[in-house]
Amino acid sequence: MSSEHTPDGSPFAPHTPSETAAMLDVLGVDSEEDLFDIPEAVRFDGSFDIPARSERDTRRHLETVLSRNEDVVEFLGRGHYDHYVPSLVDAISHRSEFLTSYTQYQPEVAQGFLQALFEYQSMLVELTGLDVANCSMYDAATALGEAATLATRVRSVSGAVVLVPELLHEGRRGTLENYVDGSDLRVESYPMDDGNVDVDALRERMDEDVAMVYAENPTLAGTIEERLADLGDLTDDHDALFCLGTDIVALALLQEPASVGADVVVGEAASLGVGYADGMGMGLFACDESFLRQVPGRLVGASEDSAGMRAYTLTLQTREQHIRRERATSNICTNQAWVALRTAIHAASLGPEGLVDLADDCVTAAAALAERVDDISGMRAPVYDRHHFREFVAHTDQPAAAVASDLADEGFAVHVVGEHRIQLCTTERNDTQRDALVEALEDVA
Amino acid sequence: MKYEQARWTDDSEELYEPLLSEKHTREVEVDSDLPDHLTRDSVELPDLSEPELARHYTRLSQMNYGVETGPFPLGSCTMKYNPKFTDDVAGHPKAATHPDRPASTRQGTLELRYHLQDVLGRIGGMDAVTLQPPAGAAGEFTGILVAKAYHQSRGDERSEVVVPDSAHGTNFATAAMAGYDVVTLPGAEDGRVDVEALEAAVSEDTAALMLTNPNTLGLFERDIEAIADLVHDAGGLLYYDGANLNALLGRARPGDMGFDIMHYNVHKTFATPHGGGGPGAGPVGVTDELAAFLPDPHVRETNGGFEEYAPEHSIGKVHGYGGNWLVLVRAYAYIARLGDVGLSDASAKAVLNANYLASQIDYDIPFGPFHHEFVASADEDAADVAKRMLDYGVHPPTTKWPEAVSEALMTEPTEVENRRSLDQLATAFDAVANEDVDTIERAPENTAARRIDQVSAARSPRLSWQALDADEQ
Ligand SMILES: Cc1ncc(COP(=O)(O)O)c(C=O)c1O
């Protein structure tokens, strides 16, 4: 069956009619239908009303639908970022040995993927300064949820409250609330001071009932935290976990999480390797070695094979659902391994210098754009008097929704984050459009 | 069939392909406009050129086995061929957008999401479908939270979820994560749900029964109507684990069997790549009565367009955004290509292949009639048998699960193998069965690595190149 023809069966089931007949013959039945043991009462005799299509027509159909997405220059972030992904990442990650394999239940034939994941874990260990990184969670939000449930299993921690910043992405807060729904934990927020953690207010809020404090660096508003070490001390004093949210690019530049006392690091790792994908991401998860047996998700470890050579394998699997069932550290099974592969290739192709430079550009570009926006009459930026990473909040004298809508007419997308506040995110992916954005803002603000 | 996996070996003869860190790393001082106390001091990472990296990863890929390498009858995982054109649609530049753009500028994405919600609903016999859960287990979690919210909305506090003993580990873990006590249901002699045991297990405490159908032994739960009645009469809900939907396409629908909630496992049934462990997607379908509880946002049609909204009693979020979008695009592409005839044929051939393969091997298969997968019983340790099968160039079945079969080899060839390839698979099964214990315990020999020591990996965990370095010192 060629890809130009509309199939009359599955184009990916290779049986010729005579082959099917011969196989049925071996089984002594007349048709495949005889192999189904489905009681009459629950048989489905209807149709889905989904037409079959040729490959060409299918692509045309999808491309027609997708083309209804307008060409917009996006200055968007708030947890989902776009960086240039080198061609090497696509070429290598699409090699079918990687793309079409699965969880490495048979490590002897899966050394390649295991090693790539081991290398990914190692890069995260370097960047976070923590001892252990798993080989992926679904995204930053679910990684945060997993960190909170980890807090309930760590013996050195007691308490029932997870404290999170007032300024937290609604997807992360919402997912966290659901992850703790089945435990005794509850989520409460602490206030911010000029975009960053209000450390004094947090200190007053701390008590024995706090199990975990979560902070982000950079914050949702793109500000860079200045007193993280104080948070490390505060949580230590109260036997609470300190969970720091970040993203893999920021890790290359900002304070090393271990150096400020973070016990767990979660966040977004697909900002390398994927870019914008309607919110699809990959959760990074790293933690102190003392929590090793409580880590959610898969871990790749080094061992030896019977020839005495170093070899890799999934390890400490007694934490996981397929062995521990209802006492597992998490229900995660299928994860984001292929995204981790892409992230690792992207990070490796940047190298240490490229990665640090990319992160540094996130600081300088945000500052430069904020300065230009600040010069626009009717605008003030950044709203928070902090250093910024990739993005910042700007004040608009006009209602922000109107400004954003006028910008949309000019082909730009920005976040509306308050009645008179927009948020702008810039990377090397929209750098050639910064002048045009500033011009458009001058017109509409 | 003969097989030798590529095996790159380092000069040291102590390792295969060296780690990136063993090739070349560099420590870079961090120097930035930021005040020093806000930055780290340095970063040490691999520092290699593109040609070196291309070779590194190509070698790694050669030491990895995928569906395109050879047969992959890993039971319960539905390792189908992943059609190439779905790479292109997922890679379409118009698919790569930020979810916070104005809805008017992302109508293509919303329309595609809407179509996928719709076709999945038709395939499963469900009234409303969310695409947000990023894998099967996440779908289970979403579904159980929906059940919980539904009961709570009626002022009905329930504390238990019933799970058959033969179920996948995620079912138990999910129920516990959602705060339920797990009631494990022993199986009947015939490998199916023991209806009497179920009757004893369900009560006014039962929030839901989680069921896979056909179950993990490949058997259709013939008593499904009675099971549904039992659970519903007790006020509980029926949850369908969609891992095995590839057995039923076009022949039976969970919604028609009385299930209230189900997840679809698109990396199984709808042929999206397994990616070495993920990403997948686990959309969840529900009946009308439960639609208002689905995650936020959901997509609906408006006059002349599509919009996102929060269902009235939404459970909120199970993912930071809308799930694994690029996987969902592929799943929709697959469904749109196959249509009714293709989907139905996929199941027909999947079931034909499992039955044919089973008929060609010399193993005891205690339970039947099975559908898309069967569970054979090995005379030796199933894990050893699996290792030896690797030498024949086939990926072995899932081993030692479900436990109802001793030394289980859970085998799911899927529809993508032809007769010749099934015959080769059968040859591998039988060859191993006839080999002496020594050969089996020495296996594998033709793979990149030889048998790997799991015990020492877990006893002294070394989970990074830093840990390896520390170990050497
Ligand atoms: C029967 C069954 N249920 C649930 C799952 C969990 O699905 P996922 O791995 O996509 O989370 C699996 C997958 O392996 C399965 O086989």
Side-chain angles (χ1 to χ4, degrees), chain A residues 15 19 33 44 48 50 53 61 68-69 74 95 106 127 139 178 278 303 305 310 335 353, chain B residues 16 22 26 40 61 94 97 101 109 111 122 251 276-277 317 320 332 337 340 353 387 419 453:
Chain A
H15 311 61
E19 190 175 324
E33 301 317 315
F44 174 66
F48 306 144
I50 306 169
R53 295 174 175 89
H61 167 53
R68 294 183 191 129
N69 284 337
E74 297 163 299
R95 287 185 64 93
Q106 299 293 342
L127 291 171
D139 73 339
N178 273 331
D278 204 39
S303 185
D305 71 3
R310 187 209 294 158
N335 55 20
E353 187 159 4
Chain B
Y16 299 111
E22 289 163 329
R26 191 151 71 92
R40 58 192 295 143
S61 76
K94 291 271 190 178
T97 63
R101 296 169 158 222
T109 296
E111 180 175 344
R122 287 188 244 167
R251 290 179 182 74
K317 303 291 299 180
Y332 179 69
R337 171 115 166 82
D340 275 271
N353 278 2
K387 294 297 178 213
R419 183 182 188 182
D453 183 352

Side-chain angles (χ1 to χ4, degrees), chain A residues 102 333-334, chain B residues 76 135-137 140 168 170 241 243 265 267-268:
Chain A
Y102 193 33
C333 176
T334 294
Chain B
S76 208
E140 295 168 22
H168 193 256
T170 51
D241 175 337
N265 200 308
H267 41 295
K268 301 177 194 221

Side-chain angles (χ1 to χ4, degrees), chain A residues 50-66:
Chain A
I50 306 169
R53 295 174 175 89
S54 68
E55 178 178 312
R56 196 181 52 199
D57 287 347
T58 312
R59 282 190 65 175
R60 194 178 286 152
H61 167 53
L62 270 107
E63 284 161 12
T64 304
V65 173
L66 285 172

Side-chain angles (χ1 to χ4, degrees), chain A residues 10 12 14-15 19-20 22-23 26-27 32-33 36-37 41 43-44 48-50 52-55 59 61 65 68-71 74 77-78 80 92 95-102 104 106 108-113 115 118-119 121-122 126-127 138-139 169 171 175 178-179 181-182 251-253 255 276-280 301-306 309-310 312-313 315 321 325-326 331 334-338 349 352-353 360 364 387 415, chain B residues 5 9 13-20 22 26 32 37-40 43-44 46 56-57 60-61 63-65 67-68 82 88 94 97-101 105-106 108-109 111 113 122 134 137 141 148 165 169-170 172 174 177 179 220 222 247 251 253 267 274-279 315 317 319-321 324-325 332 336-340 345 349 353 360 371 387 415-419 447 450-454 456-458 462-466:
Chain A
S10 168
F12 310 110
H15 311 61
E19 190 175 324
T20 302
M23 289 166 72
V26 168
L27 294 172
E32 290 112 317
E33 301 317 315
F36 289 85
D37 178 38
R43 277 202 182 228
F44 174 66
F48 306 144
D49 284 326
I50 306 169
R53 295 174 175 89
S54 68
E55 178 178 312
R59 282 190 65 175
H61 167 53
V65 173
R68 294 183 191 129
N69 284 337
E70 287 170 20
D71 283 324
E74 297 163 299
R78 291 185 98 242
H80 190 52
I92 293 291
R95 287 185 64 93
S96 72
E97 299 90 334
F98 284 138
L99 183 62
T100 75
S101 66
Y102 193 33
Q104 296 74 24
Q106 299 293 342
E108 293 84 0
V109 277
Q111 283 299 293
F113 218 120
Q115 182 170 335
F118 184 86
E119 291 171 347
Q121 291 176 180
S122 304
E126 166 64 21
L127 291 171
Y138 303 131
D139 73 339
H169 188 270
T175 303
N178 273 331
Y179 267 67
D181 187 59
L251 279 173
L253 183 74
Q255 283 174 288
Y276 287 157
D278 204 39
M280 171 167 162
S303 185
E304 267 193 5
D305 71 3
S306 62
M309 306 278 280
R310 187 209 294 158
Y312 307 93
T313 181
T315 192
Q321 45 73 29
R325 309 225 286 198
E326 63 268 29
N331 71 340
T334 294
N335 55 20
Q336 304 284 110
W338 188 68
S349 68
E353 187 159 4
D360 196 38
T364 50
H387 299 283
H415 300 282
Chain B
Q5 192 176 34
T9 307
E13 304 214 347
E14 285 171 6
L15 45 120
Y16 299 111
E17 181 68 4
L19 290 162
L20 285 172
E22 289 163 329
R26 191 151 71 92
S32 115
H37 71 279
L38 298 188
T39 63
R40 58 192 295 143
V43 174
E44 184 177 0
H56 177 76
Y57 284 110
L60 294 190
S61 76
M63 297 197 285
N64 215 60
Y65 189 100
V67 168
E68 284 178 30
N82 313 127
D88 288 324
K94 291 271 190 178
T97 63
H98 193 292
D100 291 352
R101 296 169 158 222
T105 68
R106 58 191 285 263
T109 296
E111 180 175 344
R113 283 182 175 274
R122 287 188 244 167
F141 185 55
K148 189 173 181 177
D165 190 42
T170 51
F172 304 90
T174 295
M177 244 170 98
F220 196 92
R222 292 176 185 139
R251 290 179 182 74
R253 306 191 304 173
H267 41 295
H274 280 76
I315 59 162
K317 303 291 299 180
H319 181 271
Y321 294 94
N324 281 332
W325 164 241
Y332 179 69
R337 171 115 166 82
L338 268 67
D340 275 271
D345 187 51
K349 296 302 189 298
N353 278 2
Q360 300 301 297
H371 292 79
K387 294 297 178 213
E415 68 273 18
V416 307
E417 305 302 331
N418 64 13
R419 183 182 188 182
T447 49
R450 302 287 304 275
R451 182 90 63 114
I452 295 170
D453 183 352
Q454 302 290 341
S456 73
R462 292 173 302 168
L463 309 177
S464 61
W465 58 54
Q466 294 85 346

Side-chain angles (χ1 to χ4, degrees), chain A residues 410-432:
Chain A
E410 306 289 317
F412 296 98
V414 302
H415 300 282
V416 175
V417 294
E419 226 165 292
H420 288 277
R421 286 181 178 186
I422 61 172
Q423 185 162 335
L424 302 171
C425 178
T426 186
T427 70
E428 74 286 0
R429 295 279 285 162
N430 57 21
D431 58 352
T432 61

